């Protein structure tokens, strides 16, 4: 057999680009489904969650189990993230100098103030807490890291979409995301005004939106191009006295500016 014929047979045996991409997409969808579920899941249920055949899902899960990206939980067929995923996260946080500085700042601010401090950003068109140091006080406010929340519910969201105009915001944020957990609705024009105000003043504050008992304040962390991809936040009891809020806001803005890679 000639080398050319051998190459042709080998090429024809390889998955086509579309097939390969679909396999990768399903792996990503499976990991995203686990992240959103935030608890171990049976493989059969995972198949339903990602809309894939059970046989395909079992094949993906077995490969991820072998790579220790997933691990079995209990004896009834549940799986969840494995220790390799922890190592990937450790590698990111410990070998990214800027991220290390951010984590050190979270630790320091929490120790100094006794308040809940968060690092926040966007995932797609939702807000997420990327990291958090909870308040040690008796009135403890905490947020689940990685849980996707509608942007209009948050102080940080008003900063993170500050580069968009009204038309872009209308296209980017789903209409249902303006409805708060208690049934109230954030007026879209009020939200657009809040976004503009946050952009001009360089910080954002909200009161009793996602939670009636919290006051949130956020300051931007700018990347090397001046874009706001992350925010530094305090989550306080809603009845925190104004002088205390002002003191914390000054500290927040100072530390966020110190973490920014570009002026602003």
């Amino acid at each position: 057999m000639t080398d050319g014929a051998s190459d042709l047979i080998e090429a024809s045996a390889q998955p086509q680009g579309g097939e390969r991409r679909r396999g990768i997409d399903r792996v990503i969808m499976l990991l995203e489904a686990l992240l959103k579920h935030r608890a171990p899941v049976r493989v059969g249920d995972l198949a339903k969650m990602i809309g894939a055949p059970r046989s395909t899902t079992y094949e993906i899960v077995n490969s991820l189990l072998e790579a220790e990206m997933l691990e079995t939980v209990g004896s009834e067929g549940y799986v969840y993230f494995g220790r390799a995923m922890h190592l990937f996260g450790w590698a990111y946080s410990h070998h990214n100098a800027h991220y290390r500085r951010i984590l050190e700042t979270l630790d320091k601010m929490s120790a100094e103030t006794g308040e809940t401090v968060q690092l926040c950003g966007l995932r797609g068109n939702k807000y997420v807490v990327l990291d958090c140091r909870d308040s040690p006080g008796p009135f403890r406010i905490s947020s689940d890291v990685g849980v996707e929340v509608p942007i209009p519910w948050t102080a940080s969201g008003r900063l993170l979409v500050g580069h968009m105009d009204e038309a872009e915001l209308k296209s980017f944020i789903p209409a249902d995301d303006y409805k708060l957990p208690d049934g109230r609705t954030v007026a879209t024009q009020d939200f657009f005004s809040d976004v503009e105000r946050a952009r001009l003043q360089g910080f954002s504050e909200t009161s009793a939106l996602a939670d009636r008992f919290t006051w949130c304040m956020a300051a931007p962390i700018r990347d090397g191009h001046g874009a706001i991809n992350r925010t530094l936040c305090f989550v306080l009891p809603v009845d925190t006295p104004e002088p205390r809020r002002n003191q914390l806001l000054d500290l927040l803005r100072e530390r966020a500016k110190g973490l920014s890679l570009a002026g602003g």
Side-chain angles (χ1 to χ4, degrees):
M1 184 178 294
T2 66
D3 289 342
S6 176
D7 290 344
L8 182 60
I9 292 172
E10 183 177 348
S12 66
Q14 297 300 317
Q16 297 302 305
E19 294 176 358
R20 189 181 304 115
R21 283 193 295 272
R22 284 197 295 273
I24 292 171
D25 288 345
R26 280 175 172 158
V27 172
I28 294 171
M29 289 169 65
L30 187 149
L31 296 176
E32 289 280 359
L34 277 178
L35 181 62
K36 290 182 179 180
H37 190 69
R38 303 181 68 82
V41 180
R42 285 193 177 98
V43 180
D45 293 329
L46 267 176
K48 295 176 184 176
M49 292 165 70
I50 67 174
R54 289 172 64 94
S55 59
T56 301
T57 306
Y58 273 101
E59 183 178 351
I60 293 171
V61 167
N62 285 335
S63 294
L64 295 176
L65 287 170
E66 290 177 9
E68 296 187 331
M69 295 175 69
L70 297 181
E71 62 186 23
T72 57
V73 180
S75 58
E76 298 183 6
Y78 286 86
V79 295
Y80 202 52
F81 294 115
R83 64 178 180 174
M85 304 301 283
H86 167 75
L87 295 175
F88 295 148
W90 182 92
Y92 176 80
S93 63
H94 286 75
H95 294 278
N96 180 316
H98 187 227
Y99 197 74
R100 287 204 310 273
R101 283 182 57 215
I102 292 174
L103 296 184
E104 290 166 0
T105 299
L106 291 180
D107 290 335
K108 187 174 182 180
M109 291 177 67
S110 178
E112 286 177 357
T113 67
E115 305 291 355
T116 295
V117 192
Q118 298 175 340
L119 174 68
C120 306
L122 296 183
R123 267 194 113 224
N125 63 356
K126 295 292 188 289
Y127 154 97
V128 292
V129 177
L130 300 169
D131 214 320
C132 180
R133 299 295 180 271
D134 291 337
S135 166
F139 185 75
R140 186 175 181 184
I141 302 171
S142 63
S143 298
D144 290 331
V145 172
V147 173
E148 297 181 357
V149 174
I151 291 169
W153 298 8
T154 68
S156 287
R158 286 158 169 75
L159 287 167
L160 292 164
V161 297
H163 59 288
M164 298 183 182
D165 60 28
E166 288 191 14
E168 290 171 319
L169 289 170
K170 287 177 182 177
S171 174
F172 186 64
I173 300 176
D176 288 345
D177 283 9
Y178 291 93
K179 187 173 183 179
L180 298 172
D182 62 4
R184 292 176 296 153
T185 298
V186 176
T188 55
Q189 201 57 50
D190 289 346
F191 175 74
F192 298 154
S193 297
D194 287 349
V195 170
E196 177 66 10
R197 185 181 306 109
R199 185 182 68 79
L200 293 174
Q201 66 188 11
F203 66 90
S204 178
E205 294 183 279
T206 58
S207 174
L209 289 183
D211 184 327
R212 285 187 177 272
F213 300 101
T214 59
W215 183 289
C216 301
M217 56 180 66
I221 300 174
R222 298 180 183 273
D223 66 16
H225 303 286
I228 302 171
N229 295 318
R230 297 186 180 113
T231 60
L232 195 63
C233 319
F234 273 128
V235 184
L236 313 171
V238 73
D239 59 356
T240 301
E242 184 176 0
R244 169 67 170 168
R245 293 202 312 266
N246 291 338
Q247 176 189 28
L248 291 171
L249 179 60
D250 288 343
L251 176 64
L252 185 73
R253 298 184 69 189
E254 174 193 333
R255 298 294 168 82
K257 185 175 181 180
L259 290 171
S260 294
L261 300 177

